[in-house]
Amino acid sequence: MQKKRIAIFGSTGSIGTQALDVIRANPDLFETEILTAQSNADLLIKQALEFKPNAVVIGDETKYQKVKDALAQTLVKVFAGEKALEEAADFDSYDMMLAGIVGFAGLKPTIKAVEKGKPVGLANKETLVVAGDLIMQKAIEKRVPIIPVDSEHSAIFQCLVGEARNKIEKIILTASGGPFLGKKPNYLVNVKRDHALQHPNWAMGAKITIDSATLMNKGLEMIEAKWLFNLKPEQIQVLVHPQSIIHSMVQFEDGSVKAQMGLPDMKLPIQYALSFPQRIKNDFPRLDFRKYPSLTFEEPDVKTFRNLALATEALFKGGNMPCVLNAANEIAVWAFLRNRIGFLDMTAMVEKTMETINFIEKPTMQEYFDSDGEARNFAASLINM
Ligand code: NAD
Ligand code: MG
């Protein structure tokens, strides 16, 4: 069997480093073709020395010389800047992209990979939230598989194996509820960044950790699921399941429900995406049901965690609304992480931006970019008010 050559976009992040763990453990199956990072030059250099990719891209151009010098004795090609990300995605030399960049920044390289006909393991959910219709259309045109890495979507994807002819009645996206499950607005108003960065079940990058605390993450995932599995908004239900053992479920037309379960560990969905349709043996810790005598479920509290209500509204409204929601949320999380706004201000910022930006029912890609820019500018203008 030929080794699969993997291009990891966002290799220094939580997803990227865990993808490299999977590659390190399976040297007969995978090799590393491209690695990219925004600003962590030291880690990118270390990764390049270990995995010897064909090329690396450092987003921050001021760090180019440092990376170049450190890799001077190797065959690794070094590129820098935002444009270089797209150029690297346009290379012939890789077999699969792992899209592990966070936020809107992941969109352009991912589009390039799809246009190029490269299979994508998709962690970067924002890509589908922003322009899911156009991305999926292009993927179908080019016959490019988009394999979800997000644990819930990987669960649904796994439940659907062998069910191609069977209609989905609904999917049930499970949510841990985050660190503030059960809390009310009078508590949340005083929450600070360091507290919000403590997730009970998952260790992840800062942005998605905050999104998990506000439940925006689950809202983004509803939109992601709509595009990945071609669902109507009414077919997507969110259920809080604090143990994070059931990663999500599919209910079919006969009422039968399939669930995918396991310990919360992103390496499993990452590995599944890289090796699909095969499963590969590993020595990750196994789920012992006796240690989880009760799996519990509850309705999400959308009155308190209003980001989930806003995302649901954007899901139903469609058009550029999810793109606007996403852009405002990226600014809001950025500002919260810098202690510029409070926890509940994030929701207010997203809501005001959704009310303000012009609605477009069937945007072109350019209109998605424009909506993103307008929404960011408007949201940023709210920070110092
Ligand atoms: P992270 O912050 O840990 O890593 C982000 C990576 O993207 C880094 O390598 C960084 O260098 C790069 N990056 C950041 N900004 C960039 C920019 N402007 N241009 C180019 N590169 C940039 O994030 P993460 O937690 O690994 O999440 C990555 C994506 O995967 C997100 O979309 C997230 O929602 C999704 N995801 C993550 C997890 C998880 O467990 N971490 C789970 C499910 C989905
Ligand atoms: Mg998820």
Side-chain angles (χ1 to χ4, degrees), residues 194-340:
D194 292 341
H195 191 183
L197 282 172
Q198 308 295 322
H199 195 280
N201 304 345
W202 301 94
M204 310 177 285
K207 196 249 174 189
I208 184 175
T209 305
I210 300 303
D211 284 344
S212 299
T214 65
L215 293 202
M216 180 57 92
N217 183 50
K218 211 48 56 179
L220 300 177
E221 290 184 354
M222 291 173 82
I223 300 167
E224 181 187 15
K226 170 190 153 109
W227 295 119
L228 279 172
F229 306 113
N230 192 23
L231 300 169
K232 296 197 179 70
E234 308 75 57
Q235 290 175 292
I236 305 168
Q237 181 192 350
V238 170
L239 190 62
V240 173
H241 165 47
Q243 299 82 20
S244 296
I245 294 298
I246 297 185
H247 298 312
S248 278
M249 300 182 254
V250 178
Q251 180 173 312
F252 294 94
E253 284 192 311
D254 60 356
S256 178
V257 179
K258 274 180 156 180
Q260 188 267 337
M261 295 183 238
L263 291 171
D265 180 351
M266 282 308 295
K267 284 211 282 294
L268 187 57
I270 291 170
Q271 171 180 304
Y272 188 76
L274 293 181
S275 67
F276 176 79
Q278 253 109 291
R279 289 183 183 275
I280 36 188
K281 189 174 162 66
N282 61 37
D283 56 5
F284 305 160
R286 299 311 197 224
L287 169 61
D288 178 352
F289 280 97
R290 291 164 298 189
K291 291 195 180 133
Y292 293 88
S294 69
L295 299 180
T296 61
F297 307 95
E298 57 191 275
E299 193 68 29
D301 176 2
V302 292
K303 288 217 168 72
T304 301
F305 296 92
R306 287 181 50 238
N307 273 359
L308 183 56
L310 291 173
T312 306
E313 187 187 322
L315 165 75
F316 275 85
K317 187 122 196 220
N320 64 340
M321 206 45 99
C323 168
V324 169
L325 167 103
N326 177 69
N329 182 58
E330 286 193 25
I331 297 296
V333 172
W334 180 89
F336 176 74
L337 284 170
R338 280 157 193 77
N339 297 314
R340 300 277 295 275

Side-chain angles (χ1 to χ4, degrees), residues 95-107:
D95 299 312
M96 180 176 204
M97 172 189 279
L98 184 76
I101 290 178
V102 59
F104 183 84
L107 177 62

Side-chain angles (χ1 to χ4, degrees), residues 1 15 26 28 46 99-100 103 115 135 149 154 192 232 256 280 287 294 305 319 321 376:
M1 203 176 103
I15 291 290
N26 296 281
D28 303 339
K46 191 165 167 258
E115 281 172 347
I135 304 276
V149 168
S154 175
K192 291 284 180 285
K232 296 197 179 70
S256 178
I280 36 188
L287 169 61
S294 69
F305 296 92
M321 206 45 99
R376 273 168 206 274

Side-chain angles (χ1 to χ4, degrees), residues 189 332 336 340-351 382:
V189 71
F336 176 74
R340 300 277 295 275
I341 63 173
F343 190 83
L344 295 176
D345 298 333
M346 288 191 277
T347 306
M349 187 179 271
V350 172
E351 184 169 39
L382 299 173

Side-chain angles (χ1 to χ4, degrees), residues 125 150-153 208 217-218 221:
K125 62 192 83 185
D150 213 347
S151 58
E152 296 77 2
H153 305 75
I208 184 175
N217 183 50
K218 211 48 56 179
E221 290 184 354

